[in-house]
Amino acid sequence: EDFIFKTNRPTTLAYADVTDGVAKYRFVDEHSAGRLIDEDSLKPFVNKIKKAKAILVGGISLQAEPCCKSWQWLVEQVAGHCVIYFDANIRPDFIKDKDKYLKRFERLTGIADIVKISEEDYSYLYGEQDFEKVTTEWLEKGIKLIVLTLGEKGVKVIYGGGKEISVGIEEVKVIDTIGAGDSFNAGLLFHLDKQKMLDREKLASIGAPVLQKTLTFANQVASFTVTRKGANPPWLHQIK
């Protein structure tokens, strides 16, 4: 209840059409509580978030107007106090002004500690621009981990000034991809915390063995989620 405030505005509705396990989404979000959240609503939470280990931001909340400005403001307030995990999770239908969003994206890559982006996200934002050049600039800004998701090929992380590590995934029967990305995020943050690495200074010096374990675990969580209908992530005891 420390992070709840009440409003009479409507709830965002999300519709998912699942074909061969792959979900396509449609959102009803105009004038919703989430879309219209403002800085005044978020101010009571700033000091509490500063004391947290991490905050995860991204997706629609940083793409849709006007709430994107409010969430950017919140991230800027807590920067330097806790780990900031920025998941791009691009939804083009919510981005009315691509240039304006790209400026926001660049600003956030200047204060985030972990950035997660898919090949599709990168292509939408940067087109044919050299991936290595762009990510080198992100690292120079202070990002500790760049997480590039590669679908069925797994995930690659760039860290430590340019080192790379890739971790594949086990083949599973995909029933429903809803919640796969969120499950991966949860697994990654959980396992970093379990290894006492969910800390800005420690992430700056993280090594390959720790990343290998963490990414393997996060992939397992996401893989389990897609084997069941709906956004149903596993319990801890269900991950081997």
Side-chain angles (χ1 to χ4, degrees):
E1 295 183 359
D2 287 344
F3 296 94
I4 295 175
F5 68 90
K6 296 182 179 179
T7 174
N8 292 324
R9 293 171 183 151
T11 301
T12 298
L13 298 178
Y15 297 90
D17 296 320
V18 182
T19 304
D20 296 327
V22 179
K24 292 184 178 181
Y25 300 95
R26 181 167 62 89
F27 299 90
V28 179
D29 193 42
E30 291 297 325
H31 308 295
S32 69
R35 176 73 74 94
L36 296 180
I37 197 167
D38 55 21
E39 290 181 18
D40 287 339
S41 300
L42 296 173
K43 283 179 181 177
F45 308 129
V46 170
N47 288 333
K48 297 172 185 176
I49 295 173
K50 285 180 178 179
K51 297 175 183 177
K53 292 181 180 178
I55 179 173
L56 189 152
V57 295
I60 295 169
S61 62
L62 283 165
Q63 296 164 23
E65 298 279 0
C67 65
C68 57
K69 299 173 185 176
S70 305
W71 288 110
Q72 179 179 343
W73 173 86
L74 178 69
V75 174
E76 290 171 343
Q77 301 309 302
V78 303
H81 294 274
C82 64
V83 172
I84 296 174
Y85 185 145
F86 175 32
D87 180 3
N89 196 17
I90 299 294
R91 306 286 184 190
D93 289 346
F94 279 88
I95 300 175
K96 303 305 180 184
D97 186 326
K98 184 176 176 180
D99 290 337
K100 186 184 292 185
Y101 175 74
L102 186 56
K103 289 180 181 178
R104 181 176 301 112
F105 184 91
E106 293 289 348
R107 168 62 179 152
L108 291 167
T109 57
I111 56 180
D113 300 289
I114 303 172
V115 171
K116 177 185 161 212
I117 191 168
S118 69
E119 291 179 302
E120 293 80 8
D121 293 337
Y122 183 86
S123 178
Y124 173 83
L125 290 171
Y126 294 101
E128 298 299 320
Q129 289 187 51
D130 183 67
F131 180 76
E132 184 176 348
K133 180 179 182 294
V134 172
T135 54
T136 296
E137 292 174 355
W138 292 354
L139 293 170
E140 290 173 350
K141 291 179 181 180
I143 292 176
K144 284 77 173 174
L145 304 178
I146 299 170
V147 182
L148 176 66
T149 55
L150 304 169
E152 62 185 17
K153 293 181 288 185
V155 61
K156 177 170 75 173
V157 170
I158 305 169
Y159 69 104
K163 300 175 186 175
E164 295 185 7
I165 183 171
S166 296
V167 176
I169 56 175
E170 293 184 15
E171 186 175 343
V172 297
K173 183 179 180 180
V174 177
I175 302 298
D176 189 339
T177 59
I178 296 175
D182 297 318
S183 298
F184 177 92
N185 292 339
L188 188 144
L189 287 170
F190 172 84
H191 207 269
L192 284 174
D193 188 38
K194 181 181 178 181
Q195 298 185 94
K196 302 187 185 305
M197 292 299 294
L198 197 54
D199 174 90
R200 298 182 69 247
E201 291 185 5
K202 291 181 179 179
L203 284 176
S205 59
I206 197 168
V210 172
L211 277 173
Q212 179 84 29
K213 293 177 182 178
T214 296
L215 296 172
T216 298
F217 182 85
N219 279 341
Q220 288 175 330
V221 173
S223 293
F224 188 97
T225 300
V226 303
T227 63
R228 300 195 291 186
K229 193 172 184 180
N232 291 304
W235 294 96
L236 182 59
H237 72 267
Q238 293 174 305
I239 301 297
K240 298 178 180 179

